[in-house]
Amino acid sequence: MIWDLVQRLGGQLRILAGFGGVSVIGWDMAAVWPLADALGLDRWLVGQVLPEIEAAAVAAMNERAADG
């Protein structure tokens, strides 16, 4: 079920733009909690595992953007 949450967060990105380009800095956590509630997920569990998933996803998105 947490994977369902992760897949739905694709459009909820926090982005940093500057002269050096654009970087994804994470998911909009204000959007995470209502979505998790709507999916019936336990907030404690989401809070435990989502930061690890977010870190890996952000690293992958920024790596892909750097590659062109």
Side-chain angles (χ1 to χ4, degrees), residues 30-46:
V32 167
W33 302 117
L35 185 53
D37 291 341
L39 292 171
L41 298 175
D42 181 90
R43 283 183 169 222
W44 181 87
L45 181 60
V46 170

Side-chain angles (χ1 to χ4, degrees), residues 2-44:
I2 289 184
W3 185 244
D4 292 333
L5 174 65
V6 169
Q7 290 180 316
R8 287 173 169 83
L9 290 174
Q12 303 300 321
L13 299 175
R14 301 200 70 191
I15 296 180
L16 178 65
F19 292 114
V22 176
S23 295
V24 176
I25 58 173
W27 285 317
D28 182 358
M29 294 311 246
V32 167
W33 302 117
L35 185 53
D37 291 341
L39 292 171
L41 298 175
D42 181 90
R43 283 183 169 222
W44 181 87

